Amino acid sequence: MAETYVTTAYERLQIAHLRWKKRREKWISRSREKVSFVLIPNDEKPLAQIEISVGMLGFLSGLALSLVLLSFGLLVYFSFFFDRNFSLEKKTETQLVSFLFYDLLSQDLKDSVEELESTTESLNLLAWEEIPEKEMITQDYLLKEEYRKDASELDSNLLLFQQVVTTYTQFGVRLGNLVPNFQNAIDYLSMRESIFYSMPRGRPLKPGVGVVTSTFGYRSDPFGILPVGEYHSGIDFAAGEGTPIYATGPGIIAVDTAVGGLGKSVRINHENGFFTLYGHCSLILVNPGDRVKRGDKIALVGQTGKATGAHVHYEVRIGLDAPLDPEEYINLD
């Protein structure tokens, strides 16, 4: 009986390894073989020859086949199996329209803010004759980053949203900087307006009624008593006795007396320290403590006190200071 030889597992593994190594070397050897492609031009130029290894040719062929199969698979998938999300597309389109709408609004906001900045600058010039806080209404405090707008950017909802948010943020800052400047100018002008309307303005008689017989300042003594003349602290308006006298500004009646050279007189205390005097009245129509408005009838022209004829003596004063020339306040009207 013949003796048999049984190979061990290790020996079988070595035999398989040698076979695989031999096949690999054979494949590498064949893959290094060159394949030539000859290009034949139509003219008389020399032939062009391209050499490529068998291995590279196989790799390129496999890659091309994979791309063809992938393209075919995608075509089949999108043609028969892909389910479009129409609700998402509609929502996206709605958002795009909304962003475009707000982008248009931001342009209107830009124009409005620029116009308001110009108006505020003019208002400050009117109020202060300069703009001490001009830096606050420029773009020094604005966001430095800006996004340029072009047609390609409008294709992206994200960039359009970024544009709208940035624009609103920028002009929100500019509006915030405008508010204190605008409010300060308005407050100052309101104060000036309040002072102006509380000041005595215009004549104590109606327009066209009465004539000026004596102006403010030094004059000769109408009675001829003082050879060097006297200082006249107001303006005299001659008119017929009983002609109505009107308040030249709003205030409170403070004096109703027949004491002194002015005879029967009325004093009106106005705001900001102003007060006016109306002298030589024949009849006083108001009482102390009465509040009057500009244009209210307060007395009648007369010639009480030191007077050479029927007239009203009109004075303008501030506190305890020397009397002011009433002509300056008459011309304010």
Side-chain angles (χ1 to χ4, degrees):
M1 184 175 179
E3 183 179 354
T4 59
Y5 178 75
V6 180
T7 59
T8 64
Y10 176 73
E11 290 175 334
R12 289 195 298 270
L13 183 60
Q14 282 186 324
I15 293 172
H17 174 69
L18 292 174
R19 289 176 179 174
W20 177 84
K21 184 177 180 181
K22 186 175 182 181
R23 290 194 189 99
R24 185 172 65 85
E25 291 175 353
K26 182 178 180 181
W27 181 84
I28 292 175
S29 175
R30 292 190 59 184
S31 64
R32 289 176 178 174
E33 294 178 359
K34 301 290 185 179
V35 177
S36 298
F37 295 91
V38 179
L39 302 179
I40 304 176
N42 292 329
D43 51 15
E44 297 180 353
K45 292 182 179 180
L47 298 179
Q49 183 176 351
I50 299 176
E51 291 185 352
I52 188 171
S53 65
V54 174
M56 181 59 68
L57 181 61
F59 171 76
L60 294 177
S61 299
L63 181 61
L65 180 61
S66 299
L67 291 176
V68 171
L69 293 177
L70 179 61
S71 301
F72 180 75
L74 291 175
L75 178 62
V76 172
Y77 172 73
F78 283 107
S79 299
F80 301 102
F81 301 102
F82 179 70
D83 185 16
R84 296 176 60 182
N85 192 337
F86 292 99
S87 62
L88 180 60
E89 291 180 1
K90 185 176 181 180
K91 183 178 179 180
T92 303
E93 292 176 358
T94 302
Q95 289 178 345
L96 179 59
V97 172
S98 177
F99 291 155
L100 288 172
F101 173 72
Y102 281 107
D103 186 60
L104 293 176
L105 288 183
S106 67
Q107 297 306 310
D108 293 338
L109 177 63
K110 175 179 178 293
D111 296 337
S112 299
V113 170
E114 290 176 350
E115 182 179 357
L116 183 59
E117 284 179 342
S118 177
T119 303
T120 303
E121 184 171 338
S122 301
L123 191 62
N124 277 274
L125 285 172
L126 177 64
W128 311 101
E129 298 182 354
E130 61 178 351
I131 307 180
E133 302 295 335
K134 185 174 181 181
E135 293 300 322
M136 291 182 64
I137 62 174
T138 61
Q139 299 188 28
D140 293 345
Y141 289 85
L142 302 185
L143 300 178
K144 299 301 182 183
E145 187 174 6
E146 296 182 354
Y147 296 92
R148 294 174 298 175
K149 299 178 181 179
D150 53 46
S152 62
E153 288 181 339
L154 295 181
D155 294 335
S156 170
N157 286 4
L158 181 59
L159 288 179
L160 182 57
F161 174 76
Q162 202 171 37
Q163 286 178 3
V164 173
V165 171
T166 300
T167 301
Y168 270 88
T169 302
Q170 288 178 345
F171 289 102
V173 173
R174 291 172 72 169
L175 279 175
N177 290 332
L178 279 174
V179 168
N181 290 272
F182 190 82
Q183 191 60 50
N184 286 342
I186 288 294
D187 291 344
Y188 180 70
L189 290 177
S190 297
M191 181 184 66
R192 287 178 58 177
E193 182 182 39
S194 174
I195 294 174
F196 177 77
Y197 284 110
S198 67
M199 290 169 55
R201 295 177 291 120
R203 306 167 81 246
L205 304 179
K206 281 190 173 181
V209 177
V211 293
V212 176
T213 56
S214 183
T215 59
F216 177 82
Y218 283 97
R219 66 175 184 177
S220 60
D221 185 1
F223 293 94
I225 300 176
L226 301 174
V228 296
E230 65 175 357
Y231 184 79
H232 191 230
S233 57
I235 292 180
D236 291 343
F237 293 89
E241 189 161 346
T243 301
I245 301 172
Y246 301 94
T248 57
I252 299 175
I253 304 299
V255 175
D256 180 6
T257 179
V259 179
L262 292 180
K264 292 182 179 181
S265 62
V266 178
R267 169 173 166 165
I268 302 178
N269 290 335
H270 308 281
E271 293 182 5
N272 304 303
F274 283 94
F275 70 88
T276 51
L277 288 174
Y278 309 79
H280 307 300
C281 304
S282 62
L283 179 65
I284 296 175
L285 306 177
V286 290
N287 299 308
D290 288 350
R291 184 176 293 274
V292 296
K293 302 185 300 296
R294 181 173 183 256
D296 286 351
K297 187 188 298 185
I298 59 173
L300 302 179
V301 171
Q303 49 184 333
T304 58
K306 185 181 177 182
T308 58
H311 71 282
V312 57
H313 173 85
Y314 178 59
E315 287 187 22
V316 177
R317 293 175 179 258
I318 299 179
L320 300 177
D321 293 344
L324 305 171
D325 187 352
E327 184 177 0
E328 298 180 6
Y329 298 89
I330 291 173
N331 293 333
L332 288 176
D333 194 12

